[in-house]
Amino acid sequence: HAQLFEEGHLVRDVRNNVVWLRCSVGKRWDYDTKQCSGETVRLNQAEINDAIRQANKQLGGHWRLPSLEELKSLVCEECNPPKIRSKYFPNMGREAYWTGSKNRFNQKMWWSVNFMTGHSYSRFFAYQQLPFLLVKER
């Protein structure tokens, strides 16, 4: 499991040695309410590349989609849906989120983690639109 520390609009994960944006892409961190506000954006893999370029320009650093292992490490089995610690990731969707990991056995399919169930699936094609979190190396 991830070992998390809050840092404003970011969450530092010392176990995986990465930094997460706390809000699903499209939402903004509200420092007053300590919540994510706005609408979650659902993009396909090609559109995500543009979003990552924008994040790198606006936020600095090298942002990317999390690997399957990184995103799975955020799953909170004992939590009610969404199966993620809302203290660190408030207002998350109860749905499948993209990872940057392709299925080794079927290169047309991408892995996702579903925060309704906490399970991982490799059943989405690059053209489908899902929400996502961004992460960068510490």
Side-chain angles (χ1 to χ4, degrees):
H1 285 288
Q3 191 173 353
L4 306 173
F5 297 92
E6 296 174 82
E7 294 179 357
H9 70 288
L10 304 172
V11 172
R12 191 165 38 95
D13 176 354
V14 295
R15 175 139 321 130
N16 290 311
N17 204 32
V18 294
V19 175
W20 295 88
L21 280 179
R22 293 179 90 152
C23 300
S24 302
V25 171
K27 292 188 175 189
R28 294 192 101 88
W29 178 250
D30 184 320
Y31 284 90
D32 295 328
T33 63
K34 305 247 187 292
Q35 296 290 317
C36 295
S37 60
E39 289 299 313
T40 298
V41 172
R42 289 161 184 80
L43 299 177
N44 64 38
Q45 289 287 334
E47 293 165 334
I48 287 170
N49 291 329
D50 291 335
I52 288 172
R53 277 193 285 281
Q54 276 186 307
N56 290 341
K57 209 155 72 174
Q58 293 173 3
L59 303 170
H62 298 286
W63 295 92
R64 59 176 172 79
L65 285 175
S67 69
L68 175 60
E69 293 306 316
E70 288 166 340
L71 197 56
K72 272 174 46 176
S73 76
L74 298 182
V75 170
C76 171
E77 294 294 339
E78 66 274 10
C79 295
N80 289 323
K83 297 264 186 197
I84 191 168
R85 285 180 176 76
S86 60
K87 171 185 176 184
Y88 299 106
F89 299 94
N91 309 94
M92 283 282 290
R94 296 178 173 114
E95 57 189 304
Y97 274 66
W98 280 123
T99 74
S101 303
K102 280 187 179 179
N103 184 327
R104 278 196 320 228
F105 304 106
N106 182 349
Q107 288 291 302
K108 293 181 178 176
M109 306 299 273
W110 293 77
W111 284 96
S112 65
V113 174
N114 188 311
F115 288 107
M116 179 67 184
T117 63
H119 298 138
S120 305
Y121 301 100
S122 173
R123 64 176 175 210
F124 292 102
F125 293 97
Y127 62 81
Q128 291 178 275
Q129 295 180 313
L130 298 178
F132 58 103
L133 292 171
L134 289 179
V135 67
K136 70 176 182 175
E137 310 299 318
R138 273 191 347 142

